């Protein structure tokens, strides 16, 4: 009979509760920092009522994102060339040391550029902070710091990975996604202990973070039908296949952009130029700014009243007022230069809807890749959800001509999860993150799961061929 290792049980418990709570507090504070930067730089705070910088004057949008990336470019140049380099989370899991103050500056800069309007995700920041704090935790408990301690090294690797996942779970109130991020992407290993440890720490972080930043709806899917349908399962299979191809290409594009980042003084002029281009694009496509929440909500908010009687979908007055389509249409909601989605689906209006969505998709993809290529650090989770939502919506609008029983919002939900699955090569994490962020009815795990499975299968084969 093996002897109970009470020391190990002790630090596992401490990591789950104490380290998880600290990471959650940091995730909550990072969210508040984002809101503060948005308020100072753009004069608004993103919420379920204003998902993007739609009401911000164009001149201020241009100035904010150009200044934000300009300041960040100068600081990142000094940080990357004059001090100890900050390791990536994956390198930290495998033993790479994350310096303390450099990591904090690196994290804050990521939040700063997203708050100023840069088209890049903010989810890497809490993951890096969680990994750095986990390394200090392991130092205190002497986990994996002895030579020849193979078991301790594995434990240290697990703690750092789980803590990084807890950062993701805390900032988005998504403990399942945080747990699967650690197991699926960082550890690439699933055991009962790792799953339990990861879920416990992510749940703790999410609880504490929510207590600090508040609990708010991230994506509004109120225009979605309440029940799944057989036709939606068929759509999930077809949409998942398409998203698998597009998601794989977006993954290759982001990898190319990451590998071609400037490393010298050019960082200080390429990043502000990327900001200027982003600002200029936002004159026509304001939803391109930020981490992708506005662009994704454009897809989720697409509502066609003609299907309401058959699908059971209905858009409340509050959801319609907060819809990006309403902001794009103008204060009076009239379909002027930009279409308002809350109108019957006629052929000419269909082309207007598809045009706005296609423009959003292309702009978001290219501007995000440009931002990464210019030297900015950040993630592609939220941009991936935005691309999937808009692509799923475009396919859904066409689908409604054959199967009007389904809602466009359900198609957007399926597309968001499927493309994220392909771009991250993490189907379980992608499915749970989208379901948690949208608070979708649990029965939609079935069509979303079908789409994610198809997407993962197709993207894996395509990425293998592309090398």
């Amino acid at each position: 009979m093996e002897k109970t290792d009470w020391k190990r049980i002790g630090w596992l418990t401490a990591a789950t509760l104490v380290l998880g709570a600290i990471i959650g507090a940091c995730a909550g504070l990072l969210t508040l920092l984002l809101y503060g930067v948005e308020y100072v730089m753009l004069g608004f705070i993103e919420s379920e009522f204003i998902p993007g910088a739609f009401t911000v004057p164009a001149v201020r949008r241009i100035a904010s994102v150009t200044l934000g990336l300009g300041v960040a470019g100068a600081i990142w140049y000094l940080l990357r060339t004059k001090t100890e380099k900050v390791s990536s989370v994956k390198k930290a899991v495998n033993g790479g040391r994350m310096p303390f103050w450099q990591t904090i500056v690196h994290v804050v800069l990521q939040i700063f550029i997203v708050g100023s309007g840069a088209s890049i995700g903010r989810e890497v920041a809490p993951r890096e902070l969680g990994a750095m704090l986990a390394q200090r935790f392991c130092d205190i408990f002497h986990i994996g710091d002895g030579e020849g301690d193979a078991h301790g090294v594995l434990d240290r690797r697990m703690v750092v990975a789980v803590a990084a996942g807890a950062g993701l779970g805390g900032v988005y109130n998504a403990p399942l996604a945080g747990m699967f991020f650690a197991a699926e992407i960082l550890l690439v290993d699933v055991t009962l202990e790792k799953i339990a440890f990861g879920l416990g720490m992510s749940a703790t972080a999410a609880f504490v973070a929510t207590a600090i930043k508040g609990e708010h709806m991230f994506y509004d899917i109120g225009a979605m039908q309440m029940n799944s349908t057989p036709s939606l399962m068929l759509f999930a299979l077809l949409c998942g296949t398409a998203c698998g191809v597009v998601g794989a290409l977006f993954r290759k594009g982001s990898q190319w952009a990451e590998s071609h980042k400037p490393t010298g003084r050019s960082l200080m002029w390429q990043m502000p130029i990327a900001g200027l281009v982003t600002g200029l694009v936002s004159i026509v496509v304001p939803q391109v700014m930020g981490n992708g929440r506005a662009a994704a909500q454009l897809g989720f908010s697409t509502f066609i009243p003609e299907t309401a009687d058959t699908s059971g979908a209905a858009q409340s007055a509050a959801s319609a007022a907060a819809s990006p389509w309403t902001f794009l249409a103008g204060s009076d909601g009239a379909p002027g230069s930009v279409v308002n989605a809350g109108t019957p689906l006629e052929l000419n209006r269909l082309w207007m809807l598809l045009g706005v969505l296609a423009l959003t998709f292309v702009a978001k993809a290219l501007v995000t890749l440009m931002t990464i290529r210019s030297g900015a650090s950040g993630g592609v989770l939220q941009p991936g959800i935005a691309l999937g939502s808009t692509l799923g919506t475009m396919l859904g609008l066409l689908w409604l001509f054959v199967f009007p029983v389904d809602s466009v919002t359900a198609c957007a939900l399926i597309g968001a999860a499927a493309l994220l699955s392909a771009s991250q090569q993490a189907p379980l994490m992608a499915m749970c993150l989208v379901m948690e962020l949208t608070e979708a009815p649990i029965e939609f795990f079935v069509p979303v799961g079908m789409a994610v499975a198809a997407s993962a299968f197709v993207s894996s084969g395509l990425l293998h061929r592309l090398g």
Side-chain angles (χ1 to χ4, degrees), residues 19-20 22-28 30-31 89 111 121-131 133 160-186 198-199 201-207 209-210 213 218 291 378-383 385 420 424 426 428-434 436-437:
L19 181 59
I22 294 173
I23 292 172
C26 291
L30 287 177
T31 302
V89 171
I111 301 297
R122 63 183 170 104
E123 67 279 345
V124 172
R127 297 194 316 235
E128 290 180 343
L129 192 57
L133 292 172
V160 174
V162 165
L168 173 65
V171 79
Y172 288 132
N173 193 23
L176 287 174
M179 176 266 290
F180 279 123
F181 175 81
E184 217 175 4
I185 295 180
L186 297 179
L199 187 56
M201 192 186 296
S202 286
T204 301
F207 176 79
T210 301
K213 64 184 177 65
F218 202 86
N291 62 9
V380 291
L381 288 186
Q382 290 297 335
I385 291 176
L420 182 63
Q424 294 294 309
L428 295 175
M429 185 278 295
M431 179 172 61
C432 289
L433 180 60
V434 171
E436 287 175 306
L437 288 177

Side-chain angles (χ1 to χ4, degrees), residues 6-25 130-131 133-143 155-167 193-194 196-206 208:
W6 291 108
K7 180 182 178 181
R8 191 168 187 273
I9 293 174
W11 66 251
L12 277 170
T13 303
T16 302
L17 300 178
V18 179
L19 181 59
I22 294 173
I23 292 172
L133 292 172
Q135 289 185 341
R136 272 58 188 180
F137 176 89
C138 290
D139 293 342
I140 293 173
F141 283 86
H142 302 288
I143 302 170
D155 279 343
R156 187 184 186 93
R157 186 171 183 270
M158 177 181 68
V159 173
V160 174
V162 165
E193 181 182 70
K194 291 181 176 65
F197 185 37
L199 187 56
M201 192 186 296
S202 286
T204 301
V208 174

Side-chain angles (χ1 to χ4, degrees), residues 62-75:
I62 296 171
S64 172
V65 68
T66 304
L67 177 63
L69 283 174
V71 171
I75 299 176

Side-chain angles (χ1 to χ4, degrees), residues 80-390:
R80 294 171 182 174
T81 60
K82 307 300 182 181
T83 69
E84 185 177 353
K85 188 176 180 180
V86 177
S87 298
S88 67
V89 171
K90 284 191 175 182
K91 289 181 179 179
V93 170
N94 293 317
R97 188 68 175 176
M98 302 195 76
F100 184 77
W101 71 264
Q102 291 94 330
T103 299
I104 292 177
V105 174
H106 187 61
V107 165
V108 169
L109 283 176
Q110 292 176 58
I111 301 297
F112 174 71
I113 64 171
V114 173
S116 65
S119 179
I120 198 166
R122 63 183 170 104
E123 67 279 345
V124 172
R127 297 194 316 235
E128 290 180 343
L129 192 57
M132 185 272 287
L133 292 172
Q135 289 185 341
R136 272 58 188 180
F137 176 89
C138 290
D139 293 342
I140 293 173
F141 283 86
H142 302 288
I143 302 170
D145 58 358
E147 294 185 7
D149 185 9
H151 194 274
V153 171
L154 291 176
D155 279 343
R156 187 184 186 93
R157 186 171 183 270
M158 177 181 68
V159 173
V160 174
V162 165
L168 173 65
V171 79
Y172 288 132
N173 193 23
L176 287 174
M179 176 266 290
F180 279 123
F181 175 81
E184 217 175 4
I185 295 180
L186 297 179
L187 295 172
V188 197
D189 183 25
V190 177
T191 65
L192 182 60
E193 181 182 70
K194 291 181 176 65
I195 294 300
F197 185 37
L199 187 56
M201 192 186 296
S202 286
T204 301
F207 176 79
V208 174
T210 301
I212 293 174
K213 64 184 177 65
E215 186 171 358
H216 309 292
M217 181 187 301
F218 202 86
Y219 292 125
D220 178 10
I221 59 167
M224 191 173 74
Q225 69 216 60
M226 294 306 297
N227 300 304
S228 181
T229 62
S231 58
L232 197 61
M233 292 295 292
L234 177 59
F235 175 83
L237 183 62
L238 298 176
C239 181
T241 301
C243 287
V245 175
V246 177
L249 295 177
F250 182 62
R251 180 180 178 87
K252 293 296 291 185
S254 60
Q255 289 175 338
W256 174 87
E258 188 70 35
S259 64
H260 286 77
K261 281 184 176 181
T263 56
R265 292 182 180 275
S266 59
L267 182 71
M268 291 190 287
W269 61 263
Q270 289 193 31
M271 283 186 62
I273 288 179
L276 178 61
V277 173
T278 301
L280 293 174
V281 171
S282 76
I283 296 175
V284 180
V285 192
Q287 61 271 25
V288 78
M289 295 187 73
N291 62 9
R293 184 175 186 174
Q297 191 60 61
L298 184 73
F300 291 132
S301 294
T302 305
F303 176 65
I304 308 301
E306 287 180 335
T307 66
D309 294 336
T310 51
S311 69
Q315 190 175 40
S316 67
S319 293
S323 168
W325 291 105
T326 301
F327 288 110
L328 291 175
S331 58
D332 58 356
S337 60
V338 184
V339 68
N340 183 354
T343 52
L345 185 61
E346 301 170 353
L347 192 58
N348 63 332
R349 196 162 296 282
L350 170 67
W351 290 115
M352 294 177 73
L353 285 166
L354 290 175
V356 174
L357 289 162
L359 180 61
T360 301
F361 178 90
V362 173
K364 189 63 182 175
L366 294 180
V367 172
T368 299
L369 296 179
M370 176 195 66
T371 303
I372 298 172
R373 170 64 179 80
S374 72
S377 292
V380 291
L381 288 186
Q382 290 297 335
I385 291 176
L387 296 179
S389 174
T390 50

